[in-house]
Amino acid sequence: MSVLLVGVSHRTAPVSVLEKVAVTDTDRPKLTDKMMASDHISEAMIVSTCNRVEIYAVVDAFHGALADVSELMAEHSGLTLVDLHKHAYVRYSEAAAEHLFAVASGLDSMVVGEQQILGQIRTAYASADAQQAAGRALHELAQQALRVGKRVHTETGIDAAGASVVSVALDKAATSLDGLAGRTAAVIGAGAMGGLAVAHLTRAGIGRIVVVNRTRERAERLAETARGNGVEADVMPFERLAAALSQADVAVTCTGAVGTVVTLADAHRALAQPERSTRPLVICDLGLPRDVEPAVSGLPGVTVLDMESLQRDPAAGAAASDTEAARSIVAGELADYLASQRLAEVTPTVTALRQRAAEVVEGELLRLESRLPGLDDGQRGEVARTVRRVVDKLLHAPTVRVKQLASTPGGDQYAEALRELFELRPGAAEAVATPVAKELGALPDVTGATDLSAALDPAVTTELQAPRKQFPGPLGAPREERQA
């Protein structure tokens, strides 16, 4: 079993494509169930943020799983497979683990070093676990990724350039408005991004914050946080969104809604209010899909900062030395993780070998008992101890050495040799061959493929583009039965 990653992110796709592939909290369980219906997938996890969607799957066949995941993403997004291939990337086995570690460290974020991704990976794993879609492989991968991310943020200054997309957006808004001190801000959405916005606005000296949210209780909690930091804060329902915008100099919106939240009509009503006068309005649209209707950016006096414009901001980078230090940590942790995985894979082989030896010893001792029934207990015990010592000494060097070799690249081949030589499992060579060796053939570079097209040969590409059977709905059978 190996891990397959298929993803789309801000590095490979424009905002318009990211909006289509975005996976909401409501979508995630349904998509996970569909992936678990695949004959090639035994575990699945979906990491979805405002600038990436990545599917991690534990698979037994590369091409079959890639076809199923690609089809599912295309079906969900409404994109054709050809269009999806233009923007998606593939990582496999070791490269998939390396990528997740880099993501968890903030190295692959729009704002290098942002820490929100740790919570988003934790949420992705918790969702997969709740769906019984996370087994040993994804558990160990996700937990190690979280540990790597925490270590990078603790031991380097990678997050010094900006804690999140929010900080970059509000820094640009402050530049446009000649500072935020004493001004009024509207925060639309009381989730994690809303909380970050309130924290940044407070540090910037904002005079007043209006929180707009569909759930008043969450809005009140966020407003209370602002008041606790000495900032005047009010709460308004979504029905009064235009009124909140009419009072604001800057607005931050990131609701996670599928449709538009701030419409052209809302903006017109806000600008028409007497208190609006000629004051400019800067809207930071951090939603994905967009929260703000595109036409709003064309209104006089209104500036819309969306995810696409933030991608081009040169300030979204950490110091080169901190980035390099983070990459070094990721590389070291990846080496340790891969070594532990290889050791875990070889341990059952060593156990099976010793068990096989023990069975042979016991069989021969029983045979000796029938041939020499006159041995007393002391003689019989001494013979048994001698035979076991001989076997232990013969097995000591190969079992210790195979564990050492397992931590090196290609170390699984030594364990496979033991299985074959000692007949620990009939047909071992075929059964344990890696999906890469068995499935990829002339595609040795797939682990680092930057897009789906590079990971697929023409025959598979043609197959993917052809109509395929629909995925079944949510499974009723327990996970153990699905795996069987």
Side-chain angles (χ1 to χ4, degrees):
M1 290 289 184
S2 296
V3 177
L4 168 70
L5 157 64
V6 181
V8 178
S9 78
H10 64 97
R11 294 186 182 277
T12 63
V15 172
S16 58
V17 172
L18 289 173
E19 289 175 339
K20 292 178 179 178
V21 300
V23 176
T24 66
D25 290 341
T26 302
D27 294 332
R28 190 176 351 226
K30 294 182 290 186
L31 294 179
T32 301
D33 271 338
K34 288 184 177 181
M35 279 192 292
M36 294 299 291
S38 168
D39 293 335
H40 308 294
I41 298 173
S42 59
E43 302 179 37
M45 179 178 75
I46 302 174
V47 176
S48 181
T49 75
C50 60
N51 54 28
R52 77 177 62 247
V53 173
E54 294 180 345
I55 293 177
Y56 293 82
V58 177
V59 305
D60 60 6
F62 173 81
H63 279 158
L66 178 58
D68 288 346
V69 173
S70 300
E71 180 183 321
L72 181 62
M73 291 184 73
E75 177 186 309
H76 169 70
S77 64
L79 296 170
T80 65
L81 283 165
V82 174
D83 288 338
L84 180 64
H85 293 173
K86 294 176 182 177
H87 303 290
Y89 47 89
V90 177
R91 301 287 186 274
Y92 190 66
S93 190
E94 297 180 5
E98 181 179 23
H99 181 83
L100 183 58
F101 290 178
V103 169
S105 301
L107 287 168
D108 197 59
S109 297
M110 183 182 299
V111 179
V112 174
E114 61 95 4
Q115 298 187 43
Q116 286 185 72
I117 187 63
L118 286 172
Q120 291 158 341
I121 292 174
R122 189 176 294 108
T123 297
Y125 172 75
S127 176
D129 187 49
Q131 293 292 114
Q132 294 187 323
R136 181 189 67 83
L138 282 184
H139 171 78
E140 293 180 358
L141 178 64
Q143 297 306 313
Q144 183 66 17
L146 291 171
R147 284 192 290 269
V148 172
K150 290 178 181 177
R151 184 184 167 196
V152 166
H153 285 290
T154 300
E155 298 181 16
T156 74
I158 194 173
D159 52 351
S164 68
V165 176
V166 175
S167 64
V168 173
L170 288 175
D171 286 347
K172 290 174 72 71
T175 300
S176 179
L177 295 170
D178 294 326
L180 298 177
R183 296 186 181 275
T184 297
V187 176
I188 305 167
M193 294 287 272
L196 287 169
V198 167
H200 189 93
L201 288 165
T202 300
R203 289 194 298 270
I206 202 75
R208 178 170 173 259
I209 295 176
V210 179
V211 182
V212 181
N213 195 58
R214 298 189 190 281
T215 305
R216 186 175 183 86
E217 181 182 358
R218 296 185 66 181
E220 288 286 2
R221 285 201 297 267
L222 194 55
E224 187 58 37
T225 299
R227 296 185 194 110
N229 289 299
V231 177
E232 180 185 349
D234 300 310
V235 171
M236 288 188 180
F238 252 98
E239 293 73 20
R240 298 197 61 202
L241 175 60
L245 291 175
S246 71
Q247 302 171 28
D249 299 290
V250 59
V252 180
T253 176
C254 185
T255 65
V258 175
T260 300
V261 174
V262 180
T263 66
L264 183 61
D266 290 327
H268 272 303
R269 285 197 295 271
L271 296 175
Q273 298 301 313
E275 63 268 25
R276 180 79 242 170
S277 183
T278 58
R279 288 160 43 222
L281 172 63
V282 179
I283 303 177
C284 303
D285 183 2
L286 307 182
L288 192 62
R290 290 184 180 97
D291 280 346
V292 180
E293 191 173 340
V296 173
S297 62
L299 294 176
V302 177
T303 300
V304 177
L305 303 173
D306 60 14
M307 298 294 285
E308 197 160 3
S309 65
L310 292 172
Q311 288 179 14
R312 300 189 294 268
D313 190 279
S321 60
D322 290 321
T323 301
E324 187 58 34
R327 294 192 186 283
S328 295
I329 290 175
V330 168
E333 290 284 354
L334 177 66
D336 291 344
Y337 168 78
L338 295 176
S340 67
Q341 291 297 301
R342 295 187 187 108
L343 183 58
E345 290 173 2
V346 79
T347 297
T349 299
V350 172
T351 301
L353 177 59
R354 290 193 172 277
Q355 180 63 36
R356 178 66 177 275
E359 291 171 356
V360 171
V361 168
E362 294 304 319
E364 290 302 316
L365 290 176
L366 287 173
R367 185 180 176 191
L368 181 65
E369 178 76 17
S370 64
R371 289 193 173 188
L372 300 173
L375 292 176
D376 59 34
D377 290 344
Q379 292 171 327
R380 191 179 298 108
E382 184 59 36
V383 170
R385 286 190 292 272
T386 299
V387 173
R388 290 191 179 102
R389 278 198 302 270
V390 170
V391 171
D392 285 343
K393 288 182 178 180
L394 287 174
L395 291 182
H396 177 73
T399 54
V400 169
R401 186 62 177 148
V402 78
K403 287 183 177 181
Q404 293 172 340
L405 292 171
S407 62
T408 64
D412 58 324
Q413 297 176 6
Y414 298 97
E416 181 180 340
L418 281 180
R419 289 192 289 268
E420 187 68 17
L421 290 172
F422 289 92
E423 297 182 341
L424 299 178
R425 186 174 58 182
E430 174 63 22
V432 302
T434 63
V436 171
K438 291 164 56 178
E439 297 289 335
L440 300 189
L443 298 172
D445 193 38
V446 70
T447 56
T450 55
D451 55 53
L452 283 177
S453 299
L456 296 168
D457 61 24
V460 177
T461 302
T462 300
E463 179 187 350
L464 284 176
Q465 293 170 359
R468 293 172 57 88
K469 61 181 176 60
Q470 295 295 315
F471 277 83
L475 300 179
R479 184 163 178 266
E480 291 74 19
E481 294 180 20
R482 298 205 299 270
Q483 289 178 323

